[in-house]
Amino acid sequence: MGIEVKSFAVIRGDNADKVNVALHDLEHYGRMRFVSKPKRIEPIFADNLLVSVAGVPLRAKCNSAALVELDNNAGAAISKLRKIHPPAHVVIVSPRHDVYEELMDKSELYPEFERTFEPQHH
């Protein structure tokens, strides 16, 4: 049995509340486990990550963004992500992406993403 390779989720949203709800949805509905607390990243960096990972031109800029290391491999994370519909754009970054090593090296340096928003339960 090989070592489970972790992945990152980059969450891009119109505002911090949508990013917070998306983080909540990943944990609760997507059943994804976070290795560390979500980090705040610059929106322009998140936009550039999307272009780099997805290989598509940017359709809309985000205003708020977070990065979180997942205790799931990229395939499992993408599969779970397809079953939920978070209110923000989520990009899964795996070791096969060029930016993965940079995220591994720098993720602990980013400030913690403020998770003060409490989602409304229906």
Side-chain angles (χ1 to χ4, degrees), residues 9-22:
V10 176
I11 302 94
R12 305 168 57 252
D14 294 334
N15 56 54
D17 282 351
K18 288 186 178 182
V19 173
N20 265 313
V21 172

Side-chain angles (χ1 to χ4, degrees), residues 26-73:
L26 290 178
E27 283 183 301
H28 293 276
Y29 302 115
R31 306 233 187 295
M32 294 188 205
R33 293 180 311 277
F34 295 172
V35 173
S36 59
K37 292 182 185 284
K39 305 291 186 171
R40 183 173 49 81
I41 59 173
E42 289 300 318
I44 191 138
F45 181 52
D47 291 342
N48 291 337
L49 279 170
L50 167 68
V51 172
S52 167
V53 170
V56 296
L58 188 65
R59 288 202 313 242
K61 292 182 178 186
C62 69
N63 295 314
S64 182
L67 170 74
V68 66
E69 188 175 357
L70 302 175
D71 194 20
N72 307 82
N73 70 41

Side-chain angles (χ1 to χ4, degrees), residues 69-86:
E69 188 175 357
L70 302 175
D71 194 20
N72 307 82
N73 70 41
I78 291 167
S79 176
K80 291 176 178 192
L81 187 57
R82 286 193 175 122
K83 295 177 178 148
I84 64 173
H85 301 282

